[in-house]
Amino acid sequence: MRKNADKLAEDGTGFWGPWRTRKGLFRDIVPGPSQALGRNLQRRAYGRVQINLDRSTQRGVKRLIVSDENMLGSIRHNVRHLRLYGGAGEWTSRYGEAFKGYVTDVVLNVRSLDHYWASALGYAASRGRGIPDDATLELVAKTRRSWRDVIEDVACALPNARLKVLPFENFVGSPDRQLRAMTGQSAPQTHRDLWKNASPRLPELRELLPSDVSALLPTGDARWNPFTPAQAAHLRETYADDLMWLTAGADGLAQLIQEPDKKPVGRTLPRTELQRGRPNDQDRRLAGAG
């Protein structure tokens, strides 16, 4: 988005990313535990965002895309509490107040939970948190909070916004397709091959960790997967349930977008897409007694 800013500006598309949001723009929107001053820092934060929104409008921005991975909460916080964006509702509500009057769409990426948590734990390990023990991995694998809970929290916090859900598996490595899915507009085809914040592979983790810790890692050069096959299967099953809920319409809360060129799934779906087993009208016979 940054590298294509001039091209995007031609049709009135603006962009706020981490280079802007983390240089004071979003400070105090979500108050920290140490804030005990007499001034209302949160109100000042809301005003700061509104001023910048007005300036964007004056510059001719018709569509503003705001992207910051920490707007739902941080990976560090998820790993510390072993909970998938537990504050998503509160954080989204705060940003909704800051952007009051401007929010029309919210786009959320979801990812298979075994890969998400492996990536998050790898991120934490590479920054000094260490390798999780067996008990920690079991807690993560058995956690009941999933993407459905996150989506419901976001939808509750921003009931008037359209919520679109883009699976990571469908859009990874294709920022142009993701942008097209978000806006419905054609996307620039340049600078689309950059790969940011990829999960650390085993050789990279070994270099980042102390020797006594890195010795606990398996051999090979694949991406680190700390879960047992049973734990990974349980996390994948939970994710599959989330996708089935989204495919069935997500109780009208969100739209699942698999491909940008296809109509997003709404409240209802053709009957054949909802069935795991055989159609009800398929000819079959029951075994008789005896």
Side-chain angles (χ1 to χ4, degrees), residues 159-190:
N160 296 321
R162 292 183 294 264
L163 178 53
K164 302 176 182 179
V165 181
L166 280 59
F168 173 89
E169 294 80 8
N170 289 38
F171 291 91
V172 60
S174 301
D176 55 320
R177 292 173 56 244
Q178 178 159 304
L179 179 60
R180 190 164 76 252
M182 291 168 61
T183 66
Q185 307 292 323
S186 60
Q189 298 300 297
T190 54

Side-chain angles (χ1 to χ4, degrees), residues 12-132:
T13 299
F15 172 65
W16 292 359
W19 286 13
R20 180 166 186 172
T21 60
R22 300 183 189 181
K23 290 184 178 179
L25 180 60
F26 281 179
R27 185 178 65 246
D28 301 324
I29 288 180
V30 179
S34 62
Q35 293 182 0
L37 303 176
R39 295 174 297 171
N40 190 330
L41 299 180
Q42 192 175 53
R43 181 176 297 176
R44 294 184 62 184
Y46 292 172
R48 185 167 56 247
V49 171
Q50 288 289 322
I51 290 172
N52 280 269
L53 288 169
D54 291 341
R55 289 174 179 171
S56 293
T57 301
Q58 294 168 7
R59 288 196 298 268
V61 174
K62 300 176 182 177
R63 180 192 306 110
L64 179 65
I65 297 175
V66 182
S67 178
D68 189 317
E69 66 189 67
N70 290 335
M71 291 179 73
L72 280 182
S74 67
I75 292 178
R76 190 188 306 272
H77 188 273
N78 288 352
V79 172
R80 182 185 301 122
H81 297 279
L82 302 180
R83 186 171 171 81
L84 187 67
Y85 297 106
E90 179 184 357
W91 284 51
T92 304
S93 178
R94 304 281 190 182
Y95 283 104
E97 284 295 316
F99 285 85
K100 194 170 185 177
Y102 286 89
V103 179
T104 59
D105 296 84
V106 176
V107 180
L108 177 67
N109 287 117
V110 297
R111 186 180 187 181
S112 183
L113 288 169
D114 58 325
H115 290 160
Y116 172 83
W117 278 110
S119 178
L121 294 170
Y123 169 90
S126 67
R127 285 156 177 78
R129 190 170 178 84
I131 303 298

Side-chain angles (χ1 to χ4, degrees), residues 108 110 151 163-171 181 239-240 242-250 253-260 262-267 269:
L108 177 67
V110 297
I151 292 166
L163 178 53
K164 302 176 182 179
V165 181
L166 280 59
F168 173 89
E169 294 80 8
N170 289 38
F171 291 91
Y239 182 58
D242 288 344
L243 290 182
M244 179 168 289
W245 174 71
L246 283 163
T247 301
L253 299 177
Q255 291 180 324
L256 175 66
I257 299 179
Q258 299 278 17
E259 294 291 342
K262 294 182 179 180
K263 184 178 179 180
V265 173
R267 292 175 179 269
L269 201 70

Side-chain angles (χ1 to χ4, degrees), residues 2-3 19 69 119 168 172-173 193-199:
R2 285 192 299 268
K3 290 182 178 293
W19 286 13
E69 66 189 67
S119 178
F168 173 89
V172 60
D193 297 325
L194 298 176
W195 196 287
K196 305 293 288 185
N197 299 324
S199 303

